[in-house]
Amino acid sequence: MSRENVLLLKIAFFLSLLVSVCCLYEDQIGKFDWRRSFVGKLQDGFFDSVGNDLILMTSEEGVVAGLSAKTGDILWRQVLEKSPRGDIKHAAFYMDTQSVTPQSTLLTVSGQTPTLIRGWNPTEGFLMWEWSLTSHYPDRDDLWFSENLMLYHVIPFWDSHIELTQYYASTGQQLKPGSSKISAAWIKKGKCVLAVPFFVCAIETQVIGVNLISENGQIFSKTLLKPAQSAPRIIPGLRATILVNDEVINLEDSGFSLKMLPNSRWFVSEVENRQVFLQSVVEDKNLNILATDLSTGESLNDIGMTIPLPDALGTPTIKAVKCRRKTESQPLACRILLDTDDSSVILLQQGKIKWTREESLAHVVAVEMVDLPLSDAEGAIEDEFNSKDGDFFGAIARRLTTQVHQAKNIFLTVLGLGSLSTSSNVDLLVRDSFGLHKMIVILTSSGKLFGIDNISGKVHWTKFLPEIEKFTENQSMKLLVQRTAKHFPHPAQYAVIGKQRDSRNGIIYQFNPVTGEPIQNGFVHLSHGIQQVSVLNEEESGNFLRAILILDENNQAHVLPESGQNQADGMFLYTVKTTGEVTGYHIEATNKDIKSRLIWNLNLSGGSNAQVIQVAGKNPIEHVHSQGRVLSDRSVLYKYVNPNLIAIATFSLDAIHKYVINVHLIDVVSGYIVQSLTHRRAKGPLHMVHSENWLVYSYYNDKVRRTEITTIELYEGKIQTNSTVWSSLTTPPVPKIERQSYIIPANVFAMKETITEKGITNKDVLIGLSTGAIVEMPWALLDPRRPVTTTQNQAREEGVIPYIPELPLPSEQVINYNQSIARIRGIYTAPSGLESTCLVIAHGLDMFVTRVAPSKTFDLLKEDFDYFLISIVLLGLTVASYVVKHLASRKAIKQAWK
């Protein structure tokens, strides 16, 4: 082969390696967005025994991770399957010294039918081995424990026997064929615990246990002085020991005694070949950790410590301890890993908090954004305009004083003796010109509040509310906006509403969302439960505060504060129960009395076992800019824009169609069912977005095994009934329904529409996928009016694309590019001061904050705008206009003299 042919082949080979890619400019990455990663509430923690500065942990979110002991950063993270398949039932860290090359392993047992047993490399986080086990009793409560490289599977058959199976941990090979059956007719559900290696039950005045790994099935029995009040408890890290009626019982007759402090939490760790009993107790905002040698009962002051505990942290629990000496002459240095009630993870080192991870942000239940307050200068201007005393000369004096102060600040800044901003706000938390800088207020499932800067991601304040908990298992706490930051000088006011811990009554916490400070002592304890809650539409005159309307369990209405009771008159309230019962109420209020009147009731279950799985209303701050849609014949099709319309989805089992999803559109003022849709052979997860005159929801089509998205649009017709005020009390028009379904080639985890201040910008639908991507789907692709067959007239219709069943997912529509978000749970959108820009917060195991512009940034100059060139052009045009004007006047004079 000639040299020319070889050169041509090389060129062709290198050209074949070139591919077309879509990407962001490097200077755009991280400029308008940021991401934070979490692991979830700590379940089990281990210090790497090899000597690496590594902390291994598993979380209740089904995550296995390795953290840096120096900084707390995530070195590696493995996200297991979704619950219940990814629920971690057992975790252990051990060193396999019997192999040719000793290797440390992190073992996890997760899921059920099949149960997956995995071994992870602790340094790199990769999977070393895996085996599965299919249980023959999927509905049974099973327990696991590991010892001496063996894994034990315990299945209790209540009131009968215990089945025990032993496996080699790394291979899954059974030590003995089949399972061992241990006769134990005394075991009762809810009264037993696994205290390795014993299975123990406390039944009335008897404590009975059996040694699971002994050959003869050793039985332990003891008589109590009084009946057991609850199931036995174990002390983490201590073998064969239980706690019954505050009495420590050792099942192996080891010679030690424990002195339990009241309200303390315990842990046992091995330090320098001796077992150390640690107790943690919080007193006077200090965390006291007391250490005792179990064998001698001696207090170990070099391990115990006292540190101040920040108010924003809950009561801690010890999860792991590691102590060592650099040399024999140096004192013992200990690291203690803590988990708190607010889901934070803390590392203590040498009597100080080395770092803290806010893992409660892995389970967000409510998000709101608040505008930042005005600067001092802007606040002074607002004071001038808000002055209503009519003092003309006083206004002039205030104006002159303000300008003198501004000139003074500029002069001092030029000399380097001062700053332009005299604001007392921390970190320049003041409102910007375009309304892009805001405070993110987040409420988590543990009852913790966060104030986070949406530009930098910095946590400005935190507040833990241990008194508040969620209403029910499926109904979380609520975060309500009572007053925004737009009413200077009144500060913004938000409220958290939930249920009092250990009580059925409601509780409200009111606070300033910018500073996190409580308002009027913060807590308001109610003497009744809460069935439904809403913020009133009208504000109180003078303070611009929106009162909270509460419907209690007895269908009685309450308003807080009571001064806003008049604003509740004429309001309509609705409740939706999981059983399918939907009820509407009318509120009648005066200065002295308020009551609710039942006006309608619906039962959506249809006599079957249908359960409500989703309720979607419209965003209360939404603005509808266009009331109609221009058709191909230039006529207008008016939208059915009913602000009282909600969508309720129910799921039921059917003998013929297996699964059935029904979607109902209901006017909650009149109880009128506007439309009902049925999807057979369909099941969840179902996600729904309701806005303007359209509804979008996703579901899993079990018949063809794929995820589908259905879109609905409602129109009044070509004649609009009322262009100014909507009333649900008059006979509503029957809307025309446009409906279409699409296939999306991914599993949907969350959906949300974009929103802007005036509603002029086009609306896109943000779709969170199982891959961790967030796709910005234009409404033109979801439009239910996309024609299947395109005619010449329909082709002229604005914004209509021919129908294609599959929705495209191009990479340029992924707003988080390569910043994948694990387990997306929700997406929150908020308007900015720019009409073109929408602020977006996506939360799950990760949190991602960015901004999107569905119609591009039509009201903002580009970053590379050439200000110098446009200034030169404007200056040249100005000079040219004066020159031309002079020449034109001279020419006119010459023409006049001719």
Side-chain angles (χ1 to χ4, degrees), residues 91-104:
F93 179 70
Y94 63 89
M95 175 71 72
D96 187 0
T97 58
Q98 298 179 2
S99 60
V100 179
T101 57
Q103 173 70 49
S104 57

Side-chain angles (χ1 to χ4, degrees), residues 206-437:
Q206 288 288 324
V207 173
I208 307 175
V210 58
N211 192 328
L212 298 174
I213 62 176
S214 64
E215 294 183 1
N216 55 359
Q218 177 186 352
I219 298 293
F220 174 89
S221 177
K222 182 177 180 178
T223 303
L224 300 174
L225 297 177
K226 59 180 181 179
Q229 300 176 357
S230 60
R233 291 180 292 168
I234 63 172
I235 299 177
L238 188 58
R239 286 175 51 91
T241 305
I242 59 174
L243 191 67
V244 181
N245 294 341
D246 296 330
E247 178 186 357
V248 178
I249 301 175
N250 184 262
L251 308 176
E252 292 180 337
D253 295 328
S254 299
F256 66 85
S257 61
L258 297 178
K259 183 181 179 181
M260 316 292 289
L261 296 177
N263 301 322
S264 64
R265 301 184 180 184
W266 330 287
F267 187 81
V268 174
S269 177
E270 186 172 340
V271 179
E272 295 184 334
N273 298 322
R274 55 181 176 176
Q275 283 193 314
V276 178
F277 177 62
L278 296 103
Q279 296 185 82
S280 62
V281 60
V282 179
E283 294 178 348
D284 299 328
K285 297 184 179 180
N286 290 325
L287 173 62
N288 299 323
I289 296 180
L290 307 176
T292 306
D293 191 327
L294 277 181
S295 59
T296 63
E298 178 187 359
S299 297
L300 304 176
N301 297 326
D302 53 349
I303 299 178
M305 61 185 72
T306 299
I307 61 170
L309 189 68
D311 295 335
L313 296 176
T315 304
T317 303
I318 300 175
K319 289 292 186 178
V321 178
K322 181 180 181 181
C323 298
R324 66 175 183 177
R325 302 178 192 268
K326 292 185 178 179
T327 61
E328 293 184 358
S329 60
Q330 289 186 343
L332 196 64
C334 292
R335 285 175 173 174
I336 301 179
L337 185 67
L338 302 175
D339 169 48
T340 62
D341 289 347
D342 63 302
S343 301
S344 297
V345 179
I346 305 173
L347 182 68
L348 303 182
Q349 182 172 322
Q350 296 179 347
K352 296 181 181 179
I353 296 179
K354 188 171 180 62
W355 47 258
T356 302
R357 290 187 58 87
E358 299 288 359
E359 292 301 332
S360 61
L361 288 172
H363 205 291
V364 176
V365 297
V367 184
E368 291 289 345
M369 272 193 176
V370 60
D371 290 317
L372 295 175
L374 298 173
S375 63
D376 290 347
E378 293 173 336
I381 296 174
E382 289 289 333
D383 282 335
E384 294 179 22
F385 286 108
N386 290 337
S387 179
K388 299 179 181 179
D389 53 5
D391 185 6
F392 175 74
F393 294 101
I396 294 178
R398 287 191 298 270
R399 174 75 283 189
L400 293 176
T401 303
T402 302
Q403 291 179 347
V404 168
H405 281 295
Q406 291 175 349
K408 177 184 175 182
N409 291 334
I410 294 175
F411 179 72
L412 293 176
T413 303
V414 172
L415 296 179
L417 301 176
S419 175
L420 278 175
S421 176
T422 60
S423 174
S424 59
N425 295 296
V426 181
D427 294 335
L428 298 179
L429 287 179
V430 294
R431 196 178 307 171
D432 61 326
S433 301
F434 295 141
L436 297 173
H437 191 191

